[in-house]
Amino acid sequence: MNKSKIIIGVTQFGMPYGIMNKFRFNRIKKLKQVLNFSKKKKIQTLYTSKYYGDSNRLLGNENLDSFKIITKFKCNDLLKSDFKLELNNQKKNFKKNKMILMLDGFEKLDYKKSLKIYNILLNLKKDKYIIKFGYSIYNFKNLKKICKNFKPDILQCPFSVFDRRLEKGKLFQFLNNNKIEIHVRSIFLQGLLTVNPEKLPRKFFKWKKNFEKFNNHMSTYKVSNLSGCLNFVQNNKYVDKILIGVDNINQLEEILRVETNKKIKFTNFDINDEKLINPARW
């Protein structure tokens, strides 16, 4: 696994997150283990948000000198009069002078509000409150228009063997040509793609044949589903970073043990039903 591409999401340590997640005790101990192991393996970026329960508070108690911090806010947060103060407080909490701001839901805004928030982002960057900013999006409607009018440094979006929307309309090429970093998330569909199809939660039985097809295909290559998911994204030349959430050090170790395999073919797996590929619809 290419460690330089990994971003560690800390959501799971701050709150119950992910349909296959087992929220347990010893969160502080597990977080320390993940951070120490990440430092050892030279993983350099963490992803957090004040909306992730205790994650900011827990992170603030750790030594984060080795990490870049990406912090996510909602669009309306930027319109609050005390937003700069809040951002500065986060920087003090993390003992960081430089942070990257990720904005949730920008693609849902009308033009007038988009322009207002975009100008705030540009000023935050100009005044060195942040070093970069990006949009964390859920749908791809009007994406090219948004990026042309309100160009971000980073676009973070879902991408997996089932969710191939980034490949359509030459979006990868467009973002690359416009020098916009591509960060992908939901590569395991919150763990659904890594489990035995027989153990899927009942609400996903509708797509059981799709999961079985993927599972059987990985078996022909004699690799795990987790390995297949990781190879699918890391072998894409346009993907700059991969956001991965882990519950414990064992999961991270397993991810880093995955070997690059460029022989695996991933044809005919994409699904267009947002009730599956968009976790926000679950």
Side-chain angles (χ1 to χ4, degrees):
M1 177 65 193
N2 187 343
K3 295 185 287 292
S4 66
K5 285 191 173 187
I6 293 179
I7 299 172
I8 299 293
V10 299
T11 312
Q12 285 88 333
F13 299 103
M15 61 187 288
Y17 180 84
I19 197 159
M20 303 303 292
N21 176 257
K22 306 297 183 184
F23 194 61
R24 292 288 185 263
F25 298 107
N26 299 322
R27 289 181 293 150
I28 295 175
K29 179 182 178 181
K30 290 177 180 177
L31 176 60
K32 286 180 183 291
Q33 289 174 338
V34 167
L35 292 178
N36 289 335
F37 186 70
S38 297
K39 291 176 188 177
K40 181 180 177 181
K41 295 299 181 179
K42 297 187 176 1
I43 294 172
Q44 299 178 333
T45 311
L46 302 176
Y47 187 82
T48 185
S49 171
K50 70 173 187 175
Y51 295 104
Y52 292 169
D54 292 334
S55 62
N56 280 0
R57 179 179 64 80
L58 297 179
L59 273 182
N61 293 327
E62 303 299 326
N63 182 347
L64 304 176
D65 290 348
S66 303
F67 299 105
K68 297 176 184 177
I69 303 291
I70 301 176
T71 181
K72 185 173 77 170
F73 284 92
K74 295 180 180 179
C75 292
N76 285 335
D77 289 329
L78 273 68
L79 301 176
K80 297 176 182 176
S81 59
D82 62 347
F83 176 72
K84 287 184 178 179
L85 176 62
E86 182 177 5
L87 189 59
N88 270 335
N89 286 339
Q90 275 203 25
K91 291 166 74 173
K92 289 178 182 178
N93 185 44
F94 299 143
K95 299 176 180 64
K96 290 289 177 183
N97 292 321
K98 299 178 180 179
M99 286 181 21
I100 299 168
L101 191 152
M102 194 68 63
L103 206 54
D104 187 42
F106 189 85
E107 79 275 21
K108 301 174 185 176
L109 304 179
D110 60 35
Y111 181 86
K112 185 177 180 181
K113 194 169 184 179
S114 296
L115 182 60
K116 185 174 184 178
I117 289 177
Y118 183 62
N119 285 328
I120 292 172
L121 289 167
L122 292 177
N123 286 327
L124 286 171
K125 188 176 175 182
K126 178 183 176 184
D127 296 337
K128 298 183 179 179
Y129 281 88
I130 55 175
I131 54 172
K132 291 180 182 180
F133 66 86
Y135 308 142
S136 174
I137 68 163
Y138 298 88
N139 69 70
F140 296 83
K141 186 179 180 180
N142 298 322
L143 180 62
K144 290 183 179 180
K145 185 176 180 180
I146 290 169
C147 289
K148 283 180 180 178
N149 291 334
F150 312 107
K151 182 183 175 182
D153 300 300
I154 302 165
L155 189 78
Q156 183 208 94
C157 41
F159 184 54
S160 71
V161 291
F162 281 1
D163 185 354
R164 312 285 282 268
R165 290 174 292 176
L166 259 177
E167 293 177 342
K168 298 171 183 177
K170 297 185 177 180
L171 291 176
F172 271 127
Q173 294 91 326
F174 168 81
L175 294 168
N176 182 66
N177 291 341
N178 283 275
K179 295 181 171 55
I180 297 172
E181 287 182 41
I182 302 171
H183 295 191
V184 298
R185 66 172 190 272
S186 298
I187 68 168
F188 305 122
L189 276 183
Q190 294 190 9
L192 291 177
L193 281 164
T194 66
V195 302
N196 186 313
E198 297 301 324
K199 296 182 179 180
L200 284 170
R202 183 171 294 276
K203 67 188 297 183
F204 297 101
F205 279 7
K206 176 181 177 181
W207 302 281
K208 187 177 179 182
K209 289 184 178 180
N210 300 91
F211 285 96
E212 289 174 339
K213 180 181 177 182
F214 173 65
N215 186 70
N216 294 337
H217 190 65
M218 292 304 100
S219 295
T220 63
Y221 286 97
K222 298 182 179 179
V223 301
S224 68
N225 288 6
L226 181 136
S227 178
C229 291
L230 285 166
N231 271 286
F232 174 72
V233 293
Q234 77 164 347
N235 292 339
N236 185 300
K237 66 180 181 179
Y238 295 111
V239 171
D240 296 297
K241 298 288 184 181
I242 304 166
L243 175 59
I244 295 172
V246 295
D247 303 335
N248 54 63
I249 189 173
N250 295 331
Q251 291 179 355
L252 184 54
E253 287 175 334
E254 184 181 5
I255 286 168
L256 295 186
R257 283 197 297 268
V258 169
E259 297 181 359
T260 300
N261 187 335
K262 296 190 176 182
K263 294 181 180 180
I264 304 175
K265 304 298 181 184
F266 296 95
T267 55
N268 303 319
F269 287 117
D270 55 314
I271 298 171
N272 295 319
D273 192 342
E274 283 204 33
K275 291 180 181 178
L276 173 63
I277 62 175
N278 185 355
R281 298 282 299 274
W282 295 354

